[in-house]
Amino acid sequence: MPLDVHQFPCLSDNYGFLIRDRATGLAACIDTPDAKAILAELGKLGWKLSLILNTHWHPDHAGGNAEVAAATGASSVGPAEVERLIPVDRKVGGGDTVMLGETRFDVIDSGGHTLQHIAYHDAADHVAFVGDTLFALGCGRLFEGDAEQMWASLQRLAALPDDTRVYCAHEYTASNARFALSVDDDPALKARADAVFAARERGEATVPTTIGAEKATNPFLRAPLLAARVGAAGRAAHEAFGTVRAAKDNFKG
Ligand code: ZN
Ligand code: FE
């Protein structure tokens, strides 16, 4: 039975996601960027929330947990690091399984942006919620982990089927595209960047993306191929990645 996904923009550039297992009608939210927006969307949909699925501890991801739980009775699932902010009912990490009715999520360790960041993968529906690990044409900043950890996390996501729909937590794609064009002149990237700029002009979301699109055009996943251009020729894959990541951190586009 399919999973319904309802996506809505909130805060300055976050996306909120409400999901529902069609077989049982049970619903969950991915992270809690904005409790009031989540509760308003739930009201519009008429869905009853049973789970909060956190990807990492940052306040724009777990800051609304208390208000959402108090209003809905939902219980929370997330990495232990979320307890830096608020207690979590069930702590999970890579290899664990989370059920929403009949929908199964495999928890994927995607540390690097924060040390215990996780992603939720529903293999049956070809859907992954990746928080701040993988973005359309981008990836999360290395606030806590290092290039080696983040590269390993990105490789775990890149190993998912190409048609996996990837729900990233921020609309950063236009600025990611400007950076990508500065380090890569691949025609597929140019075409995608043009489509991204046009979509944003029209006010359209560029999320979700797919694993296939990211493998083809995301400069962070393509880092080993771009090593020479970023001054990391002959270096290990995670070092090439780290060089591209540092170039993005310093990019004034
Ligand atoms: Zn974050
Ligand atoms: Fe975030």
Side-chain angles (χ1 to χ4, degrees):
M1 275 293 246
L3 183 79
D4 295 316
V5 180
H6 175 68
Q7 172 178 329
F8 54 95
C10 57
L11 303 182
S12 59
D13 51 32
N14 280 74
Y15 284 118
F17 305 106
L18 288 165
I19 60 178
R20 182 178 63 162
D21 171 60
R22 249 186 235 173
T24 60
L26 293 175
C29 61
I30 308 298
D31 287 327
T32 55
D34 181 337
K36 290 191 173 45
I38 290 167
L39 296 174
E41 296 294 321
L42 272 176
K44 279 190 236 166
L45 295 165
W47 294 0
K48 195 185 155 349
L49 202 72
S50 62
L51 285 180
I52 295 166
L53 304 179
N54 288 123
T55 60
H56 65 298
W57 73 269
H58 282 162
D60 64 315
H61 296 262
N65 276 29
E67 190 174 343
V68 170
T72 63
S75 63
S76 59
V77 176
E81 67 173 25
V82 172
E83 298 209 321
R84 291 188 216 173
L85 207 63
I86 182 168
V88 175
D89 296 312
R90 181 183 166 206
K91 297 179 229 1
V92 295
D96 287 334
T97 297
V98 177
M99 297 300 298
L100 176 68
E102 294 181 2
T103 301
R104 189 184 91 194
F105 291 96
D106 297 311
V107 176
I108 300 174
D109 169 7
S110 61
H113 173 72
T114 61
L115 288 178
Q116 296 179 342
H117 193 300
I118 56 174
Y120 295 90
H121 177 224
D122 166 8
D125 295 299
H126 302 241
V127 165
F129 296 94
V130 300
D132 288 355
T133 300
L134 178 62
F135 293 122
L137 292 174
C139 77
R141 278 180 189 262
L142 306 182
F143 284 119
E144 297 178 11
D146 59 16
E148 191 164 11
Q149 184 186 11
M150 188 62 148
W151 177 250
S153 294
L154 290 171
Q155 293 311 110
R156 280 189 284 276
L157 297 177
L160 300 178
D162 279 357
D163 66 353
T164 306
R165 278 176 291 144
V166 176
Y167 290 89
C168 340
H170 291 272
E171 180 61 63
Y172 289 157
T173 318
S175 92
N176 287 341
R178 286 190 285 278
F179 168 73
L181 291 168
S182 78
V183 292
D184 192 355
D185 56 9
D186 187 79
L189 169 64
K190 284 187 177 157
R192 185 176 176 196
D194 285 342
V196 164
F197 298 140
R200 295 306 296 151
E201 287 279 317
R202 295 191 298 268
E204 294 171 12
T206 64
V207 172
T209 177
T210 65
I211 291 295
E214 296 315 312
K215 276 170 27 187
T217 53
N218 185 309
F220 298 97
L221 297 183
R222 285 169 52 78
L225 301 170
L226 305 174
R229 280 194 66 149
V230 297
R235 309 277 291 279
H238 74 268
E239 292 173 331
F241 162 73
T243 305
V244 175
R245 185 60 256 178
K248 173 71 162 70
D249 293 342
N250 297 317
F251 182 67
K252 308 269 184 273

